[in-house]
Amino acid sequence: MGTRLAGKTALITGSTSNIGRATALAFAAEGAHVAVSGRDKQRGDEVVAQIRAAGGRADFVAASLDGSPATSQALADEAVRVLGGHIDVLVNNAGIYPPSTTPTVTSEMFDEVYGVNVKAPFFLTAAIAPRMAERGSGVIVNLGSWIARLGVPVSALYSSTKGAMETLTRAWAAEFGPRGVRVNAVSPGVVRPESADDMAEAMMRGTPAGASGRPESIAYAAVYLASDEAAFVHGTVLDVDGGRTGVAVVAA
């Protein structure tokens, strides 16, 4: 067990799979007491069991984030309860990615994606950040995306929500930073949870990394931003994308 987050409590939304799950495991391995949150209790219990088997601390908090203030407030209150009275770190990770192009997006899809990807973390932060500010300390880590800044011909709706989260990162850093709450974001690149994917690998061809990333790479960046090592980091979007957005890509 590491000690970079020893004594800290953390709520990680959407932490029953993929990047969120890897982040929960990484936080617990560094000493944090983690509130694992998601819609699927069975998967949540599996993550909690894995953390506890490794000697860490974790509890599952069910949440089906829909963007309503009431749902976000309920999650914040329950996480505070299971974590023993306060939240030191909030990771706004939960999100949905329905395949779409602009003409295929319906009004219902638009509202659902913005509800989960923007409104839910907005109102969750509204419920948690002021409590952090009252205590004089806290960390919020948001999840952006590489396609928020490098246009691709599909998924305009999703990329716009991640652009919103990156903008909120800077706005919240200005709003809450002076009261001791650090707010930053991680911008993942092309990440595959399990086996290699031909499309994912094609998208990374010609980059410095030359291949897609793994969820653990994003989790390690979140650990850094949540730790005291990043005490002087405010309002930053940390690209963890194998060089996809910052380096000219030359197709091989």
Side-chain angles (χ1 to χ4, degrees):
M1 296 287 290
T3 60
R4 297 166 75 189
L5 301 177
K8 302 292 187 182
T9 59
L11 168 61
I12 304 171
T13 67
S15 48
T16 61
S17 64
N18 205 3
I19 290 173
R21 176 179 177 275
T23 302
L25 296 174
F27 271 48
E30 290 293 341
H33 180 186
V34 177
V36 176
S37 179
R39 301 179 181 185
D40 190 318
K41 185 178 187 302
Q42 180 177 345
R43 292 196 304 183
D45 288 343
E46 290 171 357
V47 177
V48 168
Q50 185 174 354
I51 288 172
R52 291 178 179 176
R57 298 182 65 196
D59 293 278
F60 177 68
V61 180
S64 182
L65 294 172
D66 57 8
S68 68
T71 300
S72 291
Q73 184 67 58
L75 172 57
D77 292 343
E78 182 62 10
V80 165
R81 187 189 70 80
V82 302
L83 293 174
H86 69 274
I87 297 169
D88 292 308
V89 183
L90 166 64
V91 180
N92 283 314
N93 167 76
I96 56 176
Y97 184 98
S100 64
T101 58
T102 299
T104 64
V105 173
T106 64
S107 177
E108 292 75 16
M109 181 189 297
F110 189 101
D111 290 344
E112 180 183 15
V113 174
Y114 262 82
V116 175
N117 292 8
V118 181
K119 288 182 68 178
F122 185 96
F123 288 114
L124 189 58
T125 298
I128 293 173
R131 301 185 194 183
M132 292 177 170
E134 288 175 3
R135 298 179 64 244
S137 66
V139 176
I140 297 171
V141 180
N142 297 319
L143 268 290
S145 173
W146 67 279
I147 62 173
R149 276 165 293 135
L150 185 64
V152 297
V154 294
S155 301
L157 176 60
Y158 174 82
S159 64
S160 71
T161 67
K162 290 305 179 178
M165 289 308 299
E166 293 188 7
T167 297
L168 285 170
T169 295
R170 292 182 285 270
W172 285 336
E175 183 175 358
F176 298 110
R179 291 187 283 164
V181 182
R182 290 191 301 105
V183 186
N184 294 288
V186 180
S187 179
V190 180
V191 173
R192 56 178 177 84
E194 300 297 340
S195 59
D197 175 85
D198 290 343
M199 178 61 73
E201 301 314 310
M203 296 175 75
M204 290 300 291
R205 191 173 299 131
T207 63
S212 60
R214 298 301 305 276
E216 292 78 10
S217 298
I218 313 306
Y220 299 148
V223 167
Y224 162 69
L225 290 175
S227 75
D228 292 341
E229 297 163 7
F232 199 51
V233 183
H234 292 260
T236 290
V237 178
L238 178 58
D239 292 326
V240 186
D241 62 5
R244 187 65 180 80
T245 58
V247 181
V249 175
V250 179

